[in-house]
Amino acid sequence: MTDRFARQRLIPGWDQDRLKLSTAVVVGVGALGNEVAKNLALAGLGRLVLCDPDTVAVSNLSRTVLFGPDDVGQPKAAVAAAALRRLAPGLSVDARIADLVTGVGLGELADAALVMGCVDTVRARIQLLGRCALVDAPLLDGGTQPWGGEVRIRLSAAEACYACTLTPHRRGTGDLPWSCSEPAGGGPQAAAIPLTALTAAWQVLIGLRVLFGDPPAYRVLSIDAATGHTAPVTIGRDPDCPLHRPLDGPVDWCAVDHRATVAEFLAALPPGSDPQAWRAFALPAGCRRCGARARTVQAGEAPACDRCGARVRVRSTQRIRDADPRARLLSLGIAPGEIIPTGRRGGELGCHRLRSTGPLAETPAMALPRQRTSS
């Protein structure tokens, strides 16, 4: 038998061809993200986008099948991508060593068949919920506890979500996202591979049902390994939850991608457009004493002028027109395939989507939110 997926093709409702043509975005490539990405790759998914700014730590090694001792200190996304290519020949893997906003554009989330949340803090989950809501992307968010786990499903921005279960104060949490070494609460989080593997298995199984057009009726699955009880949980939509707001109106395609300069991007927009980044970026710093322009720095830094040594004040903005025309959009934190809000003459607000750099299909125009069917 030469078909490595022959046994899967025997499963009722399984669509191997659809799986091969699909893209999944995995946000967070730690323990849970390792298992989710590995399961999707072995199942025969066509393309994975792995997003994580963190590096491999020694404490990851007991729970991550894609990392080894020699990988400590290396970027998680890059190491996982290399391991997955060896594990699943033919899989296309794109590693994004960045946080969600600068690593994965809204257009990529909109195009993905699945977005798999594998982050480990409230803030990171809320950020992911908000970004997915803007383009009505289907999100499966997983999380583990010392003796349990949970998978949360939101197939439409209109559905109840994890943030609906939080107080307004908790939704505004300022905990540190991403870093396993500094989780919310101040100390290491209890975790072990059996719970990680179990939760990831459920997360991918549910994801495959969604992908094959047969999503489950439930939206939250609770896993209690201590009692052996796994069951759906019902949650209600909080009308005050702000994470259910898709972008309004059509999204126009832009002729350039995130590697274009600011000048090239502005030239591709209609006259009078005023595009805004989703996150503030540092402006080129100028010296008030001698007028020399300092190097571009990260927001919050205060470098010295290279010419006279005076301290240089750094300003930040989200207005792309204020950036150095020679700067590339990616240096401003603009992600591949990003959808950029653009003010227009007359006070109208539009959106422009950058061209994608990966093998994602493009059409002349895209209307958001996307219409989805859910059970």
Side-chain angles (χ1 to χ4, degrees):
M1 187 175 294
T2 59
D3 181 3
R4 66 184 292 163
F5 304 116
R7 297 286 291 274
Q8 291 178 176
R9 296 182 194 274
L10 300 176
I11 300 173
W14 191 274
D15 190 337
Q16 194 67 44
D17 294 334
R18 187 171 185 175
L19 191 56
K20 177 62 178 177
L21 295 173
S22 297
T23 295
V25 176
V26 179
V27 184
V29 196
L32 188 63
N34 257 241
E35 288 292 311
V36 165
K38 178 261 293 180
N39 290 346
L40 288 170
L42 289 178
L45 186 80
R47 181 171 183 249
L48 274 171
V49 176
L50 308 179
C51 182
D52 197 315
D54 207 356
T55 57
V56 179
V58 173
S59 62
N60 296 137
L61 300 182
S62 65
R63 297 171 292 120
T64 48
V65 68
L66 303 177
F67 303 157
D70 293 341
D71 300 319
V72 172
Q74 300 301 310
K76 289 180 177 178
V79 173
L84 289 167
R85 294 187 190 105
R86 294 190 297 269
L87 192 66
L91 172 70
S92 174
V93 192
D94 195 351
R96 307 289 173 80
I97 307 168
D99 64 22
L100 174 63
V101 175
T102 60
V104 182
L106 290 176
E108 294 186 309
L109 294 176
D111 285 345
L114 297 170
V115 180
M116 309 296 272
C118 302
V119 296
D120 56 10
T121 70
V122 174
R123 180 181 173 182
R125 286 193 172 92
I126 288 176
Q127 183 183 72
L128 180 56
L129 277 164
R131 293 276 288 179
C132 287
L134 288 171
V135 291
D136 216 17
L139 172 63
L140 278 76
D141 176 39
T144 61
Q145 304 165 3
W147 289 105
E150 196 167 89
V151 180
R152 310 173 191 97
I153 310 160
R154 191 177 73 173
L155 303 184
S156 163
E159 296 179 356
C161 71
Y162 166 71
C164 290
T165 67
L166 304 177
T167 64
H169 175 74
R170 193 72 174 120
R171 289 181 199 134
T173 184
D175 62 5
L176 262 177
W178 301 103
S179 179
C180 293
S181 61
E182 298 183 80
Q189 293 178 319
I193 186 60
L195 260 301
T196 299
L198 182 61
T199 303
W202 270 110
Q203 192 172 350
V204 173
L205 280 171
I206 295 169
L208 291 174
R209 288 192 60 186
V210 172
L211 184 61
F212 296 151
D214 185 27
Y218 56 84
R219 289 297 178 263
V220 179
L221 184 72
S222 177
I223 304 164
D224 188 339
T227 64
H229 185 66
T230 298
V233 175
T234 300
I235 61 173
R237 166 79 184 270
D238 182 349
D240 295 324
C241 180
L243 304 177
H244 304 270
R245 300 173 183 170
L247 294 170
D248 293 325
V251 177
D252 297 323
W253 286 93
C254 189
V256 302
D257 62 30
H258 74 304
R259 297 169 295 192
T261 66
V262 169
E264 291 168 340
F265 172 57
L266 294 175
L269 299 179
S273 297
D274 189 13
Q276 305 284 322
W278 289 100
R279 177 176 292 173
F281 54 87
L283 292 172
C287 179
R288 294 185 177 183
R289 179 186 294 176
C290 70
R293 174 170 286 186
R295 61 181 173 84
T296 301
V297 298
Q298 297 297 317
E301 292 183 354
C305 175
D306 292 336
R307 179 186 294 175
C308 70
R311 300 296 290 178
V312 177
R313 178 172 172 266
V314 178
R315 295 182 298 119
S316 62
T317 184
Q318 291 179 247
R319 190 170 185 257
I320 296 177
R321 279 193 175 275
D322 291 340
D324 186 335
R326 300 166 296 178
R328 298 197 179 276
L329 295 179
L330 61 87
S331 72
L332 308 182
I334 306 296
E338 187 60 280
I339 296 175
I340 299 177
T342 308
R344 299 171 179 170
R345 288 175 179 172
E348 296 179 356
L349 181 64
C351 291
H352 285 81
R353 173 176 169 170
L354 300 177
R355 293 182 64 87
S356 298
T357 56
L360 296 176
E362 296 187 356
T363 54
M366 177 176 65
L368 295 174
R370 295 186 295 177
Q371 297 300 312
R372 296 188 179 278
T373 59
S374 59
S375 58

